[in-house]
Amino acid sequence: MSDIHQVVIVGSGPAGYTAAIYAARAQLSPIIYEGSVTAGGALMNTTEVENFPGFPAGVMGPDLMDSMRAQAEKFGAKLITDDIIEMDLSGEIKVLKDGSGNELRAKAVILATGSAYKEIGLENEKRLSGRGVSWCATCDGFFYRQKTVAVVGGGDSAMEEANFLTRFADKVVVIHRREALRASKIMADRAHANPKIEFIWNTEVIDVLGEQSMNALKLRNLQTGEESEMAFDGLFVAIGHLPRSELLIGQVDLDLEGYVKVDERSTRTNLKGVFACGDLVDHTYRQAITAAGTGCEAALDAERFLAGH
């Protein structure tokens, strides 16, 4: 691919697809690399989205992403279901290589690689991944009909996971390091009102037990230091996300947590012609609507940059 493209968007989800919609309508002929596995972003693993404007009855996360994707394609964005595996963003012309060995050159790049699920960090958590340990209730909840499962976390994501799992499991136990949830009031109230959900407070998971599949958790009470074991059929980890910025180390400025730094009230990074949006830059809000908003901003910033060059 020897042409020099106007703009390449790396990543999808609400930020990447919105950037593609705006860039395509601006006649920039954007190419968007959706990702080979992560196309659509985190909302592909989300059930009903009730707070995205324009959907008073709610909308399923995958359906929302499919609609955004179709809208970007309608206006002329070229969508590629592959990963960018190498980037050189330092020059005036940016050079990117995808997983199929294609090399692209572009005047501007929009980074929208999003975030990944955060792990507890236990050796057996990784070993038993897919064999009782999961990070996605919508993906794996079906396998836990009439079972007892644990959810680790105390935020909105954990409460959404817990409530969803009650469709299948007989009992869902939320394990949280603090004595109160961090979730929004509406999500916390919904979980507390669900008769299938129980809570264990001031407690952390220190090991995942089982040989071929998980069968129990080892717990530690953070107030007393007492350790105990409790039988579970499954563990769902919902303790937050990490920015997908591995490819960007040493290229654009990152903060101590790995999020891309941008100029205030813009999506500009420290490199000319490189813009970042969505969960890749957002410590605080991490909502579909805020990601879409920054995707719009990134496309507008890229359009203005290209018009001036």
Side-chain angles (χ1 to χ4, degrees):
M1 302 176 73
S2 59
D3 295 339
I4 298 178
H5 304 283
Q6 292 293 305
V7 60
V8 172
I9 300 165
V10 183
S12 49
Y17 288 142
T18 302
I21 291 168
Y22 273 78
R25 282 178 52 83
Q27 304 298 308
L28 297 179
S29 302
I31 295 177
I32 174 170
Y33 273 82
E34 304 177 278
S36 58
V37 177
T38 58
L43 280 186
M44 296 300 288
N45 297 323
T46 302
T47 52
E48 193 169 22
V49 180
E50 297 178 314
N51 54 7
F52 199 91
F55 297 91
V59 59
M60 298 298 285
D63 292 340
L64 179 60
M65 291 302 94
D66 286 345
S67 295
M68 286 190 178
R69 186 184 193 277
Q71 192 171 356
E73 200 165 31
K74 170 188 173 183
F75 290 120
K78 182 177 181 180
L79 297 109
I80 300 177
T81 306
D82 201 347
D83 297 303
I84 294 294
I85 60 172
E86 290 182 28
M87 287 186 278
D88 182 356
L89 305 176
S90 58
E92 183 176 346
I93 301 300
K94 321 302 177 186
V95 182
L96 304 92
K97 182 181 289 187
D98 67 21
S100 300
N102 298 308
E103 189 172 276
L104 298 88
R105 295 185 294 165
K107 297 177 182 177
V109 170
I110 294 174
L111 304 170
T113 49
S115 58
Y117 297 113
K118 188 181 291 185
E119 300 178 2
I120 299 172
L122 303 172
E123 181 180 346
N124 285 331
E125 172 192 17
K126 181 71 74 175
R127 181 177 66 84
L128 294 171
S129 174
R131 292 182 290 165
V133 179
S134 174
W135 291 263
C136 177
T138 54
C139 307
D140 301 325
F142 175 82
F143 301 108
Y144 295 91
R145 290 185 179 277
Q146 299 178 320
K147 304 288 187 180
T148 298
V149 299
V151 173
V152 174
D156 279 356
S157 295
M159 295 309 100
E160 182 178 4
E161 297 276 280
N163 275 295
F164 179 80
L165 286 166
T166 60
R167 301 183 187 185
F168 309 101
D170 282 345
K171 183 166 72 172
V172 177
V173 179
V174 174
I175 301 170
H176 188 38
R177 293 174 56 87
R178 299 176 176 83
E179 58 186 17
L181 297 173
R182 294 181 293 104
S184 60
K185 187 176 187 303
I186 187 171
M187 293 298 291
D189 288 348
R190 190 175 296 174
H192 281 299
N194 193 318
K196 285 189 173 183
I197 297 178
E198 298 179 4
F199 295 87
I200 298 178
W201 306 106
N202 300 305
T203 299
E204 64 179 353
V205 176
I206 58 174
D207 201 0
V208 183
L209 307 178
E211 292 300 323
Q212 299 305 314
S213 62
M214 176 205 149
N215 55 40
L217 295 175
K218 190 172 184 179
L219 308 176
R220 178 190 292 132
N221 185 293
L222 294 173
Q223 291 183 327
T224 66
E226 180 182 354
E227 296 182 1
S228 61
E229 293 182 10
M230 185 174 292
F232 288 102
D233 300 298
L235 167 65
F236 289 81
V237 181
I239 57 175
H241 300 81
L242 293 170
R244 294 182 181 273
S245 57
E246 298 90 348
L247 280 177
L248 305 174
I249 296 172
Q251 300 220 47
V252 298
D253 287 346
L254 307 177
D255 66 16
L256 294 177
E257 296 179 64
Y259 290 86
V260 175
K261 291 183 178 180
V262 292
D263 292 343
E264 290 297 326
R265 297 307 307 148
S266 84
T267 62
R268 295 186 300 271
T269 70
N270 62 301
L271 298 179
K272 289 184 179 180
V274 180
F275 308 89
C277 56
D279 285 1
L280 189 61
V281 302
D282 184 4
H283 289 256
T284 308
Y285 303 105
R286 291 194 290 267
Q287 301 294 308
I289 187 63
T290 54
T294 60
C296 163
E297 292 172 0
L300 294 175
D301 286 343
E303 180 186 0
R304 289 165 184 157
F305 169 79
L306 293 167
H309 291 74

